[in-house]
Amino acid sequence: MTETKHSAIRITTASQTFEGHEESILGAAVFPDRRRMVTASFDETLRLWDLEDGVVLKIMEGHRFGVGSVAVSRDGQFIVSGDFGGELVAWNRDGEPLTKPIKVHSEGIRSLDFPPDNTLLASGSLDTTVELWNTKTWKVQGNPINCGARIACVRYSPSGELLAIATNENIQIWNPGKRECIAKFQGHCNGAWNCSLAWTPDGTRLLSSGGNRDPTLREWDTSTWMQVGEPGKGHTGNVWMIAMNPTGTLLASACGDYEVRLWQLSDRRTIAIFQHTSSVYCATFSTDGNHILSGGDNTISKWAVPSLAREDIPKDQALYDALREDTLCNDALLDAEKVIELNPSSYFGYQLKYTALHGAHRYDEAIEAFKTMLSKLENAPDMETTKLRQQYVNPSEAERAIQETIEAQLDDAPHRLLNTFTGRLCDREVQIDAFKRSTEYKELLSSILVHVDLRMERIKDVVETYFRYVMLSHRWGGKEPLLHNIQGKVVYDLDPVGGIAKLQSFCATARDMGYRWTWIDTCCIDQTNNVEVQQSVNSMFIWYRHSALTIIYLSDVPPSSQPGALASSVWNTRGWTVQEFLAPKFVLFYQKDWSLYLDDRSPNHKDSLAIMQEMGDATGIDAQALVAFRPGMRDAREKLQWVSARVTKWQEDIAYSLFGIFGVNLPIIYGEKKQKALGRLLQEVVAQSGDISALDWVGESSEFNSCLPANITSYTAPPCTLPSLSEDEIQTSVSLLRNTEAMESASRLYTLLDHMSAPRFANCRLHLPCIAFRVTAVKRSRAQDQEIYEVKAGGLHDLLITTEDKLIQFSSPRPTMQTFFLVRPWNRYLLDLPDFAEPSGLAELPDVADDTQSEEDYWSAPGSPLQDSPDGFPVAQESADSELSDRALRLTARLTQPFGAFLLAQQRGGEYKRIASDHDIIAQVKDLSSILDMVKTLEIL
């Protein structure tokens, strides 16, 4: 498979996705019934899926380690899975376990395969052995095959007589029955792993893929075990898995370079490249060979296999073929008319007419001929002919299915879009009407009528392709066209001045890339319609998320700019552009003259290490969030810091631009001012998530609630981070406290804090669970024109507070009527409880781009329980009481450490207000003996 001059089709949008796993998907297998698929994940589970509608039929639990391999028997009766702990589980076809985890291998199982008769199962492990299992008893049969090298893949030949084994050193061919190695050859060069294998259906060829030191595909003659032709090149990372289609004409390869490549074996060229957003670890064909299913992160993507167009036909030959095809269609149509003339009441002539018209691309006429054919079948005098009607779909049923698919597709799309072909602004009704008048729609409707059931996958593919749209992220200029400026006009005909020139270039750029629809916030929203503005602001993140591409226009970055120009662009200072970059999966940066930034011609600049490094340095957003951001309320303080130095034209927008990032929907009320807008957002975040990190700020208090800041700039400084105890220091403290009088009070305190309710807002009042230390003395001292107060509080070491507010000075001999507290907002993370609500992160395999790692490291599962226990088995848990006591003592140790506090002053009604400080207030417990009496829930205005 050599590289050729032909360009492969690059496909970036999957026809369907299967989401549900919490961590990386390492294996996938389809059933012969064509209806189901099973996937294996590092999250220690398998999932059984309905391939048609993407529904999870069953979550299969039982493994104790990440599941690295899965196989379905050739008859579809068994599922077998292997994990990184070296344990194997057998399941029936419905996902019910047939065995408990069986441990034979001492290291992780990397590959599984059944022979054609399904009587055996081969399991290949990193421990250098292959075990053969009896599928009736699920016991190991005979001695293991010792390969002397770490195993990546095992594959039975089509006859079942041979077993090919890929290792980190070579490829080995065994007679499994005799335990005899009949061939052994290096395979891939430069010390690369031999990662995956696939046989052609006739058994005459074996295909292999290599690791990142030789990321090629190689073909081997099974009669000589010599390489055939040149290696297939194109991948740039570990080619983790290859799969052959049922007819042996196509090969799919899944790679750590974020791509799945489709190779045609006959002329050894890449036909298509399916673009993922992260490393791809597995790929397989659907049973009929019409789709590829691939995955690596927590999602499986389903891709339609494109038509294999011959690009090397000379133009005169192509013209001849076209003329010949037209002649054949005309001849077929004449034949059909003759049949109708001979027997007008028969359906057969109209069936021939439909076929001829469809082949001639005369779809309207073809559909009419088809309707006539149906009426002839329904009115046929004999029952046998009438029964033939059941083979076809009613046109109205097909139209309804397409309409429902359109509605589902447009549910997450903007209501108005610009048609890049016509230059006109179209509302949803016009968009749908344009589709129904298009050749794509008519060909789709005509083609699905002749099937006994609706071809929903084909419908989805056509609808998604037609309605995909491109969004623009930009900085507004002085004269931007609004809705009324372009409505009813052709954009390309307008005078190219100001924002019109930008709009024209945007539409033309998207059009030249093959996209029909575009959206820009200047003229695709009716700014005078409050309902539409509210709906648009709350939907903006979703629109960008579902775009096929987002173009980011840097109007102040000149052509041929050097690295760093993006970071200094004014685009990077605007509030709305944060979500406009984080939401989409595919983005491209364009310079002032509409040339690509840094001349980077990759299909997605989120895959560019240089550009993402520059974005990370400019924004402070971590690399994972930049390329694969997920909206939500976790780590609220960090997200607030991302936008703390940004500006917006309307003051309320600094809060509204965060709605999508936090995943909230709230009313849009321009004129409410920024304090109330920000207050409503933060109130919702704290109330829904219980995340109190948003209370960590310095500056001016908000009029909305004193515990919230008046300005987003209060989050500019990094959050208050204090040195924490190491695990050794915690264990030392726990040992000192154990078997002392502190044990009982620690347990009582732990139980009390465990039962504290989450923080909540009601009518702008914050009900805050906290540990409240009563202030006993305040003494004022001035330093460098600042108000500094020496503060004493029961149970705390003395401390200093800097604030612009005037505090009443008092002490024990001269008490005050007003009550002050220094409070520690309660954070449930200190309880050491497992976080069931949200996974702590995706357990990824090592990054293939890191050339400093050895290839052997790529096959060690990070975070595997094996690394925690020498014998490969989890350590038994202590009793529940002992565990609770241990957590209580650990909590006590943590509570003695310095913490960020804030000062509250009691009001006349018994509520409290926060007294803002210009600096972080760092407090430390001096006496834990009375802390039980300090646990409270305070109402704060």
Side-chain angles (χ1 to χ4, degrees):
M1 284 168 285
T2 58
E3 292 182 297
T4 73
K5 64 182 179 180
H6 302 287
S7 298
I9 302 169
R10 186 173 289 274
I11 302 172
T12 58
T13 303
S15 59
Q16 186 179 7
T17 57
F18 301 80
E19 300 177 357
H21 279 295
E22 296 178 354
E23 296 185 16
S24 298
I25 298 174
L26 306 179
V30 294
F31 284 72
D33 63 5
R34 305 187 179 193
R35 293 284 304 173
R36 297 178 301 148
M37 168 181 66
V38 62
T39 53
S41 170
F42 198 78
D43 64 12
E44 304 180 7
T45 71
L46 296 97
R47 290 179 184 244
L48 193 62
W49 305 83
D50 185 313
L51 279 174
E52 180 65 28
D53 55 25
V55 171
V56 176
L57 302 175
K58 188 173 183 62
I59 299 177
M60 300 158 60
E61 298 175 315
H63 282 280
R64 300 182 296 169
F65 310 95
V67 188
S69 54
V70 64
V72 173
S73 60
R74 310 293 175 94
D75 60 3
Q77 296 304 306
F78 300 123
I79 306 168
V80 178
S81 51
D83 62 34
F84 285 105
E87 296 182 347
L88 179 144
V89 178
W91 319 75
N92 67 16
R93 65 188 306 275
D94 298 317
E96 299 293 338
L98 299 174
T99 69
K100 293 182 178 180
I102 307 170
K103 186 173 180 65
V104 172
H105 292 288
S106 60
E107 292 191 53
I109 297 172
R110 284 298 305 145
S111 185
L112 301 162
D113 197 32
F114 288 89
D117 63 5
N118 302 304
T119 58
L120 296 173
L121 170 80
S123 61
S125 169
L126 296 176
D127 67 6
T128 75
T129 67
V130 174
E131 297 282 2
L132 301 182
W133 303 73
N134 185 309
T135 56
K136 290 185 178 179
T137 63
W138 295 111
K139 293 182 178 179
V140 171
Q141 183 168 298
N143 295 323
I145 297 174
N146 196 334
C147 297
R150 295 164 74 79
I151 296 165
C153 183
V154 294
R155 289 291 180 264
Y156 275 101
S157 64
S159 66
E161 296 174 359
L162 301 178
L163 182 66
I165 304 172
T167 77
N168 65 323
E169 296 179 4
N170 50 42
I171 296 174
Q172 304 178 20
I173 310 299
W174 287 74
N175 181 322
K178 297 180 179 180
R179 300 297 197 276
E180 177 185 356
C181 182
I182 63 173
K184 184 184 295 186
F185 48 98
Q186 177 182 341
H188 291 263
C189 60
N190 302 325
W193 276 73
N194 297 285
C195 295
S196 186
L197 301 167
W199 296 82
T200 56
D202 61 6
T204 61
R205 294 287 189 271
L206 177 71
L207 284 298
S208 65
S209 67
N212 71 336
R213 294 177 184 172
D214 181 20
T216 61
L217 275 67
R218 297 177 184 266
E219 185 175 351
W220 310 92
D221 186 327
T222 60
S223 63
T224 62
W225 300 112
M226 300 295 291
Q227 184 172 319
V228 178
E230 294 295 320
K233 297 179 180 179
H235 282 302
T236 58
N238 284 309
V239 187
W240 296 105
M241 188 174 291
I242 56 175
M244 186 79 66
N245 76 332
T247 59
T249 57
L250 302 173
L251 189 77
S253 55
C255 184
D257 61 8
Y258 298 11
E259 291 180 353
V260 173
R261 286 182 173 245
L262 181 64
W263 307 80
Q264 183 167 271
L265 295 184
S266 60
D267 57 5
R268 297 173 179 169
R269 67 185 177 97
T270 301
I271 298 169
I273 299 173
F274 305 101
Q275 188 70 49
H276 281 255
T277 58
S278 62
S279 295
V280 194
Y281 301 123
C282 60
T284 186
F285 279 91
S286 59
T287 307
D288 59 10
N290 292 332
H291 291 87
I292 294 171
L293 298 135
S294 56
D297 54 9
N298 57 359
T299 301
I300 287 284
S301 297
K302 184 177 182 180
W303 312 89
V305 174
S307 300
L308 308 183
R310 292 181 61 197
E311 298 177 355
D312 56 343
I313 300 176
K315 290 184 178 179
D316 55 347
Q317 179 66 38
L319 178 60
Y320 170 79
D321 288 347
L323 291 172
R324 182 172 178 273
E325 183 179 350
D326 287 343
T327 301
L328 291 174
C329 288
N330 287 332
D331 290 345
L333 186 57
L334 290 173
D335 291 341
E337 295 290 0
K338 290 178 182 178
V339 173
I340 293 172
E341 185 178 353
L342 290 172
N343 190 357
S345 61
S346 171
Y347 78 94
F348 184 62
Y350 291 98
Q351 184 183 51
L352 294 175
K353 185 175 182 180
Y354 159 78
T355 303
L357 290 168
H358 184 85
H361 312 302
R362 293 159 61 179
Y363 301 117
D364 286 331
E365 297 171 82
I367 293 169
E368 290 304 315
F370 182 85
K371 291 178 179 178
T372 305
M373 182 195 77
L374 288 186
S375 67
K376 300 296 182 183
L377 286 172
E378 291 167 351
N379 298 314
D382 59 294
M383 290 299 295
E384 289 300 318
T385 302
T386 304
K387 286 181 180 179
L388 293 176
R389 170 65 182 83
Q390 300 173 5
Q391 298 179 7
Y392 304 107
V393 174
N394 192 300
S396 61
E397 183 183 352
E399 289 170 348
R400 184 166 56 252
I402 297 174
Q403 179 65 33
E404 291 173 354
T405 305
I406 293 170
E407 292 171 357
Q409 175 69 20
L410 296 182
D411 193 44
D412 293 323
H415 294 277
R416 286 193 192 86
L417 292 169
L418 280 157
N419 189 320
T420 63
F421 296 166
T422 66
R424 291 186 178 275
L425 187 66
C426 303
D427 60 22
R428 184 157 295 179
E429 184 178 343
V430 174
Q431 296 167 42
I432 296 173
D433 183 64
F435 176 53
K436 291 186 175 180
R437 288 186 285 105
S438 70
T439 301
E440 292 93 330
Y441 175 84
K442 294 172 182 177
E443 191 278 334
L444 172 65
L445 179 59
S446 178
S447 64
I448 64 176
L449 295 175
V450 293
H451 296 272
V452 67
D453 56 350
L454 286 170
R455 303 175 67 188
M456 292 305 300
E457 285 304 314
R458 174 83 200 290
I459 294 173
K460 290 177 183 177
D461 288 345
V462 173
V463 170
E464 287 177 3
T465 300
Y466 184 89
F467 286 102
R468 59 186 186 160
Y469 59 91
V470 179
M471 303 279 282
L472 182 70
S473 175
H474 66 120
R475 184 204 176 188
W476 278 48
K479 294 182 179 180
E480 295 287 353
L482 301 179
L483 177 67
H484 69 272
N485 298 126
I486 68 166
Q487 200 160 30
K489 302 174 184 177
V490 176
V491 166
Y492 302 122
D493 295 341
L494 300 177
D495 189 13
V497 294
I500 292 292
K502 174 171 59 178
L503 177 61
Q504 291 170 337
S505 297
F506 168 53
C507 291
T509 300
R511 179 195 61 202
D512 293 345
M513 296 170 69
Y515 296 101
R516 184 184 303 270
W517 305 105
T518 58
W519 185 92
I520 179 172
D521 55 358
T522 55
C523 56
C524 291
I525 301 175
D526 185 354
Q527 309 286 345
T528 65
N529 187 322
N530 290 334
V531 174
E532 184 173 333
V533 169
Q534 171 141 320
Q535 185 179 28
S536 298
V537 170
N538 273 300
S539 303
M540 202 85 70
F541 186 94
I542 295 174
W543 292 349
Y544 277 97
R545 186 63 143 200
H546 287 87
S547 65
L549 172 70
T550 290
I551 287 177
I552 299 172
Y553 180 57
L554 309 173
S555 59
D556 56 346
V557 174
S560 304
S561 290
Q562 298 301 307
L566 165 61
S568 58
S569 171
V570 70
W571 176 86
N572 252 322
T573 68
R574 310 302 296 177
W576 282 105
T577 57
V578 177
Q579 78 162 5
E580 291 169 6
F581 175 81
L582 293 178
K585 298 176 182 178
F586 297 89
V587 303
L588 289 175
F589 287 94
Y590 282 84
Q591 301 172 132
K592 184 176 182 178
D593 66 345
W594 289 91
S595 61
L596 287 163
Y597 181 58
L598 301 183
D599 198 31
D600 187 322
R601 300 186 179 277
S602 59
N604 184 9
H605 283 172
K606 285 196 174 186
D607 293 338
S608 168
L609 295 178
I611 294 178
M612 289 304 97
Q613 180 67 50
E614 188 174 346
M615 279 293 293
D617 294 343
T619 63
I621 302 175
D622 67 90
Q624 178 66 20
L626 285 174
V627 299
F629 176 75
R630 295 181 179 180
M633 298 183 181
R634 191 157 192 167
D635 300 321
R637 178 61 169 78
E638 179 183 15
K639 294 169 182 172
L640 291 163
Q641 187 178 0
W642 293 346
V643 300
S644 59
R646 293 183 175 249
V647 294
T648 55
K649 180 178 180 180
W650 305 109
Q651 58 177 293
E652 296 90 350
D653 277 344
I654 200 64
Y656 300 163
S657 66
L658 288 167
F659 284 7
I661 289 175
F662 284 109
V664 301
N665 282 281
L666 293 171
I668 306 301
I669 313 171
Y670 283 108
E672 66 177 330
K673 305 301 180 184
K674 63 182 178 183
Q675 287 198 31
K676 187 173 182 182
L678 182 60
R680 288 195 298 116
L681 170 64
L682 297 178
Q683 170 183 265
E684 191 74 8
V685 171
V686 173
Q688 283 196 32
S689 68
D691 187 344
I692 59 171
S693 65
L695 306 183
D696 180 6
W697 54 270
V698 293
E700 180 186 351
S701 289
S702 171
E703 296 175 0
F704 183 86
N705 183 278
S706 63
C707 263
L708 303 177
N711 297 291
I712 194 79
T713 54
S714 292
Y715 295 110
T716 304
C720 178
T721 54
L722 298 170
S724 58
L725 291 173
S726 68
E727 184 60 29
D728 288 342
E729 290 171 328
I730 291 177
Q731 290 299 335
T732 300
S733 297
V734 168
S735 298
L736 293 173
L737 291 170
R738 200 181 299 278
N739 301 321
T740 67
E741 293 180 359
M743 281 280 293
E744 181 179 354
S745 60
S747 296
R748 289 172 57 202
L749 177 60
Y750 185 94
T751 301
L752 179 61
L753 291 171
D754 188 23
H755 286 82
M756 291 290 286
S757 60
R760 63 184 179 87
F761 269 96
N763 298 320
C764 302
R765 295 170 178 241
L766 171 62
H767 297 263
L768 181 69
C770 60
I771 303 174
F773 302 89
R774 183 160 186 162
V775 176
T776 56
V778 175
K779 182 180 178 182
R780 177 185 174 191
S781 63
R782 181 180 293 275
Q784 296 180 349
D785 298 325
Q786 289 185 321
E787 298 292 341
I788 300 178
Y789 295 88
E790 299 176 14
V791 177
K792 296 179 182 292
L796 295 180
H797 290 284
D798 295 350
L799 67 156
L800 298 176
I801 295 177
T802 304
T803 178
E804 293 182 0
D805 291 342
K806 303 293 183 183
L807 300 185
I808 301 171
Q809 299 185 73
F810 65 92
S811 60
S812 297
R814 295 189 306 164
T816 179
M817 295 294 292
Q818 191 174 20
T819 300
F820 293 86
F821 281 115
L822 277 167
V823 302
R824 176 177 192 158
W826 174 234
N827 187 343
R828 287 188 59 83
Y829 290 114
L830 294 175
L831 294 173
D832 261 352
L833 294 172
D835 187 359
F836 298 109
E838 187 171 354
S840 59
L842 197 64
E844 293 283 4
L845 292 178
D847 188 349
V848 296
D850 185 359
D851 293 331
T852 62
Q853 287 181 283
S854 69
E855 289 235 8
E856 193 147 319
D857 292 338
Y858 291 136
W859 296 93
S860 299
S864 167
L866 291 178
Q867 298 171 357
D868 301 327
S869 176
D871 59 3
F873 290 95
V875 179
Q877 291 183 333
E878 298 178 359
S879 67
D881 289 343
S882 175
E883 183 180 348
L884 178 60
S885 297
D886 185 65
R887 288 206 300 263
L889 293 175
R890 291 170 67 89
L891 172 64
T892 300
R894 288 192 176 101
L895 290 178
T896 61
Q897 297 305 296
F899 63 90
F902 53 78
L903 183 63
L904 295 181
Q906 191 175 35
Q907 306 301 297
R908 291 183 178 180
E911 312 92 341
Y912 292 83
K913 275 194 173 183
R914 178 172 176 172
I915 298 176
S917 173
D918 297 338
H919 300 280
D920 290 322
I921 300 174
I922 308 302
Q924 186 172 11
V925 172
K926 179 173 64 177
D927 179 14
L928 277 173
S929 61
S930 59
I931 202 170
L932 279 167
D933 299 327
M934 301 176 181
V935 177
K936 306 175 183 295
T937 296
L938 300 179
E939 184 178 354
I940 305 172
L941 299 176

